[in-house]
């Protein structure tokens, strides 16, 4: 069986998933990180990322001996056939990706890499990064390859092991093929391109998804004004093979660790080459407005109109993470809406099965409780902001009994309006006519 000795630099969301999955494919993987405590925990199979199947995959890799964890990349890199850079590339002050970690690691390991070792950028990086890394490496015998990840939180392991495609880009066709061969067992379509195109693919894909989401949110608002039903409209759209049904569900806006960062990074790339990407700019603006629209909807349903202050109004909140099935609050639209509600004077009591009460990002915004019925107690209304499936099966008559105001604003269109209606609760969705009691 074809196997490689691979070093993963960084054990965050992308790095840990990549390392564990490559080990499951039979490769020998060393995952390195600068956080010694984190390395100790991972070496014991303790995974603190809420991601289905990831902890099991890590423990299987440790048991097989194909997956190990070390502090620092230098020693491991000296024996690697391939090194994957999976370090953070956060949004910088100018909106572009901050490549400080990528550049720092490259400088640290460049003289330690064996002859012929392939250096792979897995982190999301702007167009031109492979060329920059090549300059920093200063070695003709170490090819640089771009191999962007397309992992969705909540299904990252599945996405890795059952990918839509593998994208690999490099000035060296041989090096690109070596990286593509790592995934041979997955039998996925492979796209071999130049490095700049591979880097652009990731941004192009994410920004297109953001555009679709902003479009359907705007369409939902239009449906509310015109009397149409967004669920029926998107169902009719989705059967068109040119469109499909993915990313056609309205909500409180898009967020998370990728789309906000990547849209702004592509805007920065556009500005750097003097290209007016007005369509992308409008997409970002529409997303900001969507959160404000949700607050106006909540204020109208729970207060005295869309512009009411909500000062002192107790509102129960269901969900704070950017996406169900994760514990990720990074740029969460749910948390963004909650923040705007708090600015209006609302007193928010929230429940989310994936969030810890001591998370500092909640301070001054919400009080977190460990029971959805406690969040509903004495509230003038409930707001569903994250589509955890368990919310569909709540005891809604019990919720109605403890609410001061029998109102639920469902920003995800997750709940069954008929169920709430029978419980004596008015339902307000997005892009739908409300169902009032």
């Amino acid at each position: 069986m074809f196997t490689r000795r691979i070093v993963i630099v960084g054990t965050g969301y992308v790095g840990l998933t990549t390392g564990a999955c490559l080990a499951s494919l039979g490769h020998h993987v060393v995952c390195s990180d600068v956080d010694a405590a984190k390395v100790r925990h991972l070496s014991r199979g303790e995974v603190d990322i809420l991601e289905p199947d990831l902890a099991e995959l890590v423990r299987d890799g440790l048991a097989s001996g194909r997956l190990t964890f070390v502090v620092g990349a230098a020693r491991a890199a000296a024996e690697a056939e391939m090194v994957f850079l999976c370090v953070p590339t956060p949004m910088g002050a100018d909106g572009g990706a901050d490549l400080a970690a990528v550049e720092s690691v490259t400088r640290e390991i460049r003289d330690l890499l064996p002859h012929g070792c392939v250096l792979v950028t897995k982190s999301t990086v702007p167009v031109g990064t492979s060329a920059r890394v090549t300059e920093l490496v200063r070695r003709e015998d170490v090819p640089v390859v771009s191999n962007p990840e397309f992992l969705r939180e909540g299904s990252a392991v599945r996405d890795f092991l059952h990918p839509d495609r593998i994208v690999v880009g490099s000035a060296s066709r041989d090096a690109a093929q070596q990286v593509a061969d790592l995934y041979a067992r997955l039998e996925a379509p492979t796209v071999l391109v130049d490095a700049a195109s591979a880097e652009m693919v990731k941004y192009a894909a994410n920004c297109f998804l953001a555009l679709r989401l902003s479009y359907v949110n705007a369409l939902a608002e239009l449906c509310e004004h015109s009397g149409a039903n967004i669920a029926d409209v998107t169902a009719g759209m989705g059967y068109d093979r040119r469109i499909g049904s993915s990313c056609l569900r309205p909500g409180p806006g898009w967020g998370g660790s990728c789309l906000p960062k990547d849209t702004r990074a592509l805007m920065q790339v556009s500005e750097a080459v003097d290209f007016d990407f007005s369509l992308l700019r409008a997409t970002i603006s529409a997303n900001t407005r969507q959160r404000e629209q949700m607050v106006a909807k909540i204020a109208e349903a729970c207060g005295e109109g869309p512009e009411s202050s909500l000062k002192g109004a107790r509102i129960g909140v269901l969900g704070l993470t950017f996406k169900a099935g994760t514990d990720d609050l990074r740029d969460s639209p749910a948390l963004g809406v909650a923040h705007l509600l708090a600015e209006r004077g609302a007193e928010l009591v929230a429940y989310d099965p994936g969030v810890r009460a001591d998370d500092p990002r909640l301070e001054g915004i919400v009080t977190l409780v460990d029971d959805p019925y406690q969040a509903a107690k004495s509230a003038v209304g409930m707001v569903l902001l994250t589509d955890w499936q368990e919310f569909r099966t709540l005891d809604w008559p019990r919720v109605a009994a403890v609410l001061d105001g029998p109102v639920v604003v469902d920003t995800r269109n997750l709940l069954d309006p008929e169920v709430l209606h029978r419980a004596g609760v008015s339902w307000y969705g997005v892009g739908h006519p409300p169902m009032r009691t």
Side-chain angles (χ1 to χ4, degrees):
M1 184 176 66
F2 169 80
T3 62
R4 290 286 193 183
R5 297 189 307 277
I6 300 168
V7 169
I8 306 291
V9 183
T11 59
Y13 190 87
V14 172
L16 186 58
T17 303
T18 299
C21 288
L22 286 174
S24 76
L25 295 177
H27 303 290
H28 296 277
V29 182
V30 178
C31 290
S32 68
D33 202 284
V34 295
D35 187 335
K38 187 176 186 180
V39 168
R40 285 196 301 273
H41 289 306
L42 290 171
S43 296
R44 295 194 294 262
E46 300 169 2
V47 177
D48 63 0
I49 298 174
L50 183 59
E51 182 62 44
D53 302 322
L54 182 56
E56 293 81 358
L57 216 56
V58 168
R59 288 192 284 269
D60 288 347
L62 291 169
S64 69
R66 291 192 298 269
L67 180 64
T68 56
F69 296 90
V70 299
V71 178
R75 185 175 61 183
E79 299 178 356
E81 293 178 280
M82 294 184 180
V83 174
F84 279 70
L85 301 181
C86 300
V87 295
T89 54
M91 189 188 307
D94 61 355
D98 184 348
L99 298 178
V102 171
E103 294 182 355
S104 175
V105 171
T106 300
R107 291 188 182 97
E108 178 188 357
I109 66 174
R110 62 188 176 190
D111 296 329
L112 304 173
L113 299 174
H115 175 79
C117 181
V118 179
L119 186 57
V120 185
T121 56
K122 195 71 171 173
S123 305
T124 300
V125 295
V127 177
T129 299
S130 290
R132 172 60 178 156
V133 171
T134 299
E135 291 176 0
L136 290 174
V137 171
R138 300 181 307 192
R139 289 178 54 178
E140 293 184 359
D141 65 321
V142 175
V144 176
V145 173
S146 173
N147 176 216
E149 53 86 14
F150 301 97
L151 307 179
R152 297 169 297 169
E153 291 192 48
S155 60
V157 171
R158 177 174 176 78
D159 289 345
F160 191 103
L161 297 177
H162 303 277
D164 295 325
R165 76 291 202 196
I166 304 295
V167 177
V168 186
S170 178
S172 168
R173 189 78 174 184
D174 177 67
Q177 188 62 58
Q178 288 183 54
V179 174
D181 288 344
L182 296 176
Y183 307 97
R185 287 179 55 188
L186 304 181
E187 298 182 348
T190 301
V191 182
L192 295 181
V193 293
D194 60 272
S197 295
E199 292 161 346
M200 182 63 85
V201 166
K202 178 60 184 293
Y203 284 110
N206 275 357
C207 291
F208 183 72
L209 295 177
L211 189 152
R212 281 178 68 108
L213 291 167
S214 285
Y215 175 75
V216 77
N217 283 335
L219 195 61
E221 186 178 351
L222 178 60
C223 286
E224 291 181 7
H225 288 292
S226 62
N229 186 315
I230 188 64
D232 295 336
V233 172
T234 54
M237 293 170 61
Y239 283 109
D240 189 324
R241 288 189 296 270
R242 299 167 301 173
I243 297 173
S245 60
S246 65
C247 295
L248 286 182
R249 289 185 60 190
W254 39 267
S257 61
C258 293
L259 296 192
K261 178 172 69 76
D262 292 353
T263 50
R264 285 170 174 78
L266 191 57
M267 280 300 305
Q268 197 273 340
V269 169
S270 303
E271 291 164 0
V273 296
D274 199 28
F275 173 68
D276 181 14
F277 208 154
S278 56
L279 181 61
L280 183 56
R281 184 180 298 107
T283 297
I284 296 169
S285 297
N287 192 53
T288 300
R289 182 177 179 275
Q290 184 68 8
R291 299 184 186 190
E292 296 166 351
Q293 284 294 107
M294 294 301 99
V295 172
K297 178 183 288 289
I298 294 162
E300 184 164 18
C302 300
E304 299 177 354
E307 300 302 323
S308 60
S309 72
L310 294 176
K311 185 173 178 60
R314 179 184 171 105
I315 296 177
V317 176
L318 296 175
L320 291 169
T321 55
F322 98 95
K323 181 181 180 181
T326 79
D327 55 1
D328 198 345
L329 289 171
R330 287 176 292 177
D331 217 326
S332 166
L335 189 57
V337 170
H339 191 276
L340 292 174
L341 288 170
E343 288 182 346
R344 289 269 196 112
E347 297 176 5
L348 305 178
V349 182
Y351 168 74
D352 189 300
V355 179
R356 292 171 45 181
D358 60 354
D359 195 301
R361 288 167 291 186
L362 305 182
E363 188 174 350
I365 303 175
V366 303
T367 299
L368 197 69
V369 295
D370 57 7
D371 182 284
Y373 305 102
Q374 190 177 349
K377 187 176 181 181
S378 302
V380 297
M382 295 286 286
V383 179
L384 189 152
L385 293 173
T386 308
D387 53 349
W388 291 90
Q389 289 300 308
E390 68 181 73
F391 297 153
R392 287 182 58 88
T393 57
L394 292 179
D395 184 342
W396 286 104
R398 180 181 173 188
V399 173
V402 297
L403 280 171
D404 274 359
V407 172
V408 170
V409 180
D410 182 0
T411 70
R412 299 283 186 170
N413 293 342
L414 175 72
L415 306 174
D416 185 336
E418 292 288 350
V419 171
L420 270 68
H421 183 70
R422 290 195 297 269
V425 178
S426 294
W427 176 85
Y428 294 80
V430 179
H432 293 257
M435 182 174 284
R436 300 183 179 93
T437 55

